[in-house]
Amino acid sequence: MPADVSAEQASFCTLCSIAMHSVRLVGPQLGDFVAVLGAGLVGQLVSQFARLAGARVIVLDYNAKRLELAKTNGAETVVLLGSGNPAEAVLDVTHGKGCDSVMIAAATQSSEPFLTAAEIARDRATVCQVGITGTEFPYRLFMQKELNIIVSRSYGPGRYDRDFENRHMKYPAGYVRWTETDNLRDSARLMSPSQSAHLDVTSLISHRFPFDRAEEAYELVMNGTEPHLGVVLEYGGAGEVADDRPRMTLSNTKPAANARCVLGAIGAGNFGKTMILPVLKADPRVQLHTLVTARGVSSSGTGAKLGFSQASTDSKDILENSEISAVVVTTPHSTHAAMVASALAAGKHVFVEKPLALNLEELQKVIEARNRSSAFFMVGFNRRFAPYVQEARKFLKLRTGRSMIFIRINAGQLPPESWQRDAEEGQGRILGELCHFVDLAMYLADSPLVSVSAEAADAVRGLCEDVSATLHFADGSLASIVYTTLGDTSFSKELIECYKSAAVCRIENSAKSRSWQTARKCSRRFPCRRIRGTTPRSSIRGWCRQRRPACRRTVCDRFEPGHVAGAECA
């Protein structure tokens, strides 16, 4: 920050970057007429930046006081909406041509700003949406003038780009001159009084609140309890020392007498906070002690909702706490191995979501940590615990010989911005999801894995997401896994078929199962269906009548686990 720019002024830098980027998008030339619809906080900043770019600024709003402020800060013309025809006023100022650019900085559910923009814009002008408004635009007016519509994306190039924002990768200045970082820096520069034409943000402050009255400030902004513009929170003088300790007490509950596990959790992503932690919360043997996330707001909010005693942003508050005996890790994939190794080194038992590691080096660190620790760890491979899968395993164990297992996953496409596509954080779904089904195949085969081979389709965006893998087991069994993103997601996502000793069982989406066999007796624990044509019809009926004489069905269509075919099929 420039030395002559105060912290209060600097607090406007993010809003200034948003306004600056929108003006850069329309690229006003010297003498261009730029209209700003809405004289709120962002509209006031857009007006100033357009003026600094050499444009002749026209501000339109329903609030006369805000228009006076815009006029004071350099707007050439202001138009009070609701008091006449704005198009006539604008055409008068622009010599009948209309505005070269129209910036919509209003906040309304109505699409009125688009109608006004079409009326005051010149032929082939640009309309830029900065604020959130209704988006139904008058087609005929936009078509007749051949207007361009631009929606401004936050602070500028780099926003929402993980590589730029999280890994500090830069764009070549020859191709991207103004990034979000540059916009922030230049906003601060323009606030300096040393600039001949500087940005005035102090005049936009309508309220100041000490931090201990922050709730009043948010009440003012969110509910509009009184007219306001810029609302500043003051954190205290330089002589005060802020309490920045990451640990927060959420409750003073003590471990229950029968609590056998005092648990800490690192990470609270969607799967963790909706699937894993609520189940642990409901278990009387578990005491939820400390939740650690990257952000304090997430940690305290989620921790209080789930019943944790403490919340923190520092994993040491779990690893160095002797009361905590176990840790649940649901952080991004790239951190799993390091978190597990650290927890094992601290003597904590660990449950970690899959995958355990993303490469052999990470895996070796976990192995070494486990060998030096008295604690154990478990990876969250959940498919083997599905009721139908357990029934299928019993179905296969009743038979002798090798088995053939086929698993198909119709995964569908991920959004381009998904963290699982990230080359460092997620490394694609083959490592992150296919491991589920490798574990499932090993569970069903129940034999040591000897070798693995795989072929992949052409990689897209650097990631390979369509794979066929074959697993060879010591008893001669084979498992084939097909993972694809190319199918229609309205089709079933997962299909499992097991073939062994003249019998077949099939599971679809873990919700529906069937089995076929030619043996004289059906499995008692797995749904069964006899194959027509392989056994004389009279024999099938005879077998069925032995179990229940009134039955004349030739095929058992009951597929619930535990159903004894023949005994209930009548």
Side-chain angles (χ1 to χ4, degrees):
M1 298 302 301
D4 55 358
V5 174
S6 68
E8 184 178 76
Q9 292 172 301
S11 68
F12 281 82
C13 276
T14 295
L15 286 171
C16 288
S17 297
I18 293 171
M20 177 185 282
H21 175 58
S22 68
V23 174
R24 292 194 192 282
L25 284 177
V26 300
Q29 303 293 314
L30 284 172
D32 275 0
F33 285 100
V34 175
V36 181
L37 291 176
L41 188 55
V42 174
Q44 297 280 350
L45 293 169
V46 169
S47 172
Q48 291 196 49
F49 279 116
R51 173 183 59 82
L52 291 172
R56 302 174 66 180
V57 181
I58 304 170
V59 181
L60 302 90
D61 198 282
Y62 288 96
N63 189 313
K65 290 186 176 180
R66 291 184 175 184
L67 291 176
E68 290 177 12
L69 179 60
K71 185 80 170 177
T72 302
N73 285 329
E76 181 175 315
T77 306
V78 295
V79 177
L80 182 63
L81 295 174
S83 62
N85 188 338
E88 291 181 359
V90 170
L91 289 172
D92 183 54
V93 174
T94 60
H95 313 295
K97 292 187 176 67
C99 294
D100 300 283
S101 305
V102 181
M103 316 293 292
I104 300 178
T108 175
Q109 296 299 314
S110 169
S111 297
E112 181 187 344
F114 273 97
L115 176 60
T116 304
E119 292 174 343
I120 66 176
R122 68 161 168 81
D123 188 67
R124 306 197 74 217
T126 298
V127 177
C128 180
Q129 184 176 7
V130 189
I132 299 178
T133 68
T135 53
E136 292 184 6
F137 64 91
Y139 170 76
R140 180 171 294 278
L141 285 173
F142 271 70
M143 179 272 294
Q144 289 175 340
K145 291 186 176 182
E146 203 172 34
L147 301 178
N148 296 302
I149 301 177
I150 299 176
V151 179
S152 181
R153 182 174 61 187
S154 198
Y155 327 134
R159 185 64 177 129
Y160 307 118
D161 183 339
R162 289 174 176 271
D163 290 332
F164 185 91
E165 295 192 324
N166 298 349
R167 296 184 183 84
H168 312 294
M169 295 180 66
K170 305 302 181 185
Y171 299 146
Y175 292 90
V176 184
R177 173 61 185 91
W178 292 101
T179 65
E180 61 176 344
T181 308
D182 295 319
N183 286 340
L184 282 165
R185 182 183 296 113
D186 214 44
S187 294
R189 178 187 67 84
L190 289 170
M191 292 178 194
S192 172
S194 63
Q195 299 295 311
S196 57
H198 75 283
L199 184 69
D200 181 7
V201 295
T202 304
S203 65
L204 305 181
I205 299 174
S206 62
H207 294 75
R208 294 176 175 84
F209 286 87
F211 188 73
D212 57 7
R213 293 175 55 201
E215 290 186 9
E216 295 179 44
Y218 278 95
E219 177 74 15
L220 171 67
V221 172
M222 299 303 294
N223 297 324
T225 52
E226 61 180 271
H228 64 278
L229 199 59
V231 180
V232 173
L233 292 178
E234 297 175 333
Y235 284 79
E240 299 182 22
V241 179
D243 182 3
D244 58 357
R245 292 174 297 175
R247 182 182 300 176
M248 294 159 279
T249 300
L250 302 178
S251 69
N252 294 315
T253 55
K254 300 296 182 182
N258 60 343
R260 299 178 57 189
C261 175
V262 180
L263 189 71
I266 303 177
N270 188 58
F271 187 77
K273 67 185 180 184
T274 59
M275 302 298 293
I276 297 176
L277 296 177
V279 174
L280 294 171
K281 176 186 177 182
D283 194 323
R285 300 168 300 173
V286 176
Q287 169 69 21
L288 299 182
H289 191 288
T290 299
L291 174 66
V292 171
T293 65
R295 296 177 175 84
V297 172
S298 170
S299 179
S300 60
T302 304
K305 181 178 179 180
L306 292 172
F308 281 85
S309 302
Q310 304 282 335
S312 176
T313 56
D314 189 348
S315 60
K316 291 181 180 179
D317 288 332
I318 289 178
L319 302 180
E320 297 177 359
N321 191 320
S322 59
E323 294 181 16
I324 297 174
S325 57
V327 182
V328 171
V329 177
T330 59
T331 53
H333 295 173
S334 59
T335 63
H336 284 185
M339 289 291 184
V340 171
S342 298
L344 290 173
K348 315 291 186 186
H349 305 299
V350 184
F351 175 89
V352 58
E353 255 308 300
K354 51 77 189 168
L356 175 61
L358 293 177
N359 54 56
L360 293 177
E361 182 181 355
E362 291 181 356
L363 187 60
Q364 186 60 38
K365 291 180 180 179
V366 175
I367 293 172
E368 293 172 358
R370 172 64 184 89
N371 290 338
R372 293 192 298 264
S373 177
S374 59
F376 68 85
F377 72 89
M378 178 181 180
V379 183
F381 294 129
N382 55 36
R383 295 304 193 277
R384 63 166 59 200
F385 297 103
Y388 279 129
V389 171
Q390 295 188 358
E391 296 295 335
R393 179 178 161 102
K394 294 176 185 177
F395 177 84
L396 295 173
K397 288 180 72 69
L398 289 173
R399 288 153 182 79
T400 59
R402 64 188 183 277
S403 58
M404 288 289 293
I405 300 167
F406 172 75
I407 302 173
R408 183 266 295 152
I409 306 97
N410 174 36
Q413 293 286 343
L414 279 177
E417 68 276 8
S418 171
W419 65 268
Q420 292 188 66
R421 290 188 181 277
D422 191 278
E424 294 184 14
E425 190 171 329
Q427 292 197 19
R429 288 190 289 180
I430 300 305
L431 289 177
E433 291 184 14
L434 188 63
C435 55
H436 258 319
F437 303 97
V438 172
D439 177 76
L440 173 60
M442 295 173 65
Y443 178 72
L444 291 172
D446 195 24
S447 177
L449 183 61
V450 174
S451 64
V452 178
S453 61
E455 290 289 339
D458 292 340
V460 178
R461 290 179 292 273
L463 291 176
C464 168
E465 294 188 328
D466 298 280
V467 171
S468 175
T470 301
L471 283 63
H472 187 193
F473 298 94
D475 65 352
S477 298
L478 287 177
S480 178
I481 304 175
V482 175
Y483 187 99
T484 180
T485 62
L486 303 178
D488 186 337
T489 53
S490 63
F491 189 62
S492 68
K493 181 179 180 182
E494 296 176 16
L495 175 68
I496 305 165
E497 291 182 348
C498 304
Y499 304 82
K500 188 174 183 180
S501 188
V504 181
C505 63
R506 171 177 176 163
I507 305 171
E508 191 169 0
N509 285 341
S510 298
K512 182 168 59 176
S513 65
R514 296 181 180 182
S515 69
W516 294 261
Q517 59 185 345
T518 57
R520 294 285 299 172
K521 189 176 181 181
C522 294
S523 165
R524 291 183 57 82
R525 293 293 300 165
F526 196 77
C528 143
R529 181 171 183 172
R530 289 179 172 273
I531 302 177
R532 294 177 185 268
T534 58
T535 305
R537 181 184 287 281
S538 59
S539 298
I540 297 176
R541 287 179 175 171
W543 173 84
C544 205
R545 284 197 296 273
Q546 290 174 17
R547 303 301 303 269
R548 189 161 185 165
C551 178
R552 291 294 182 270
R553 301 273 304 269
T554 60
V555 177
C556 173
D557 290 316
R558 294 288 299 278
F559 303 125
E560 296 84 355
H563 165 54
V564 180
E568 298 178 351
C569 59

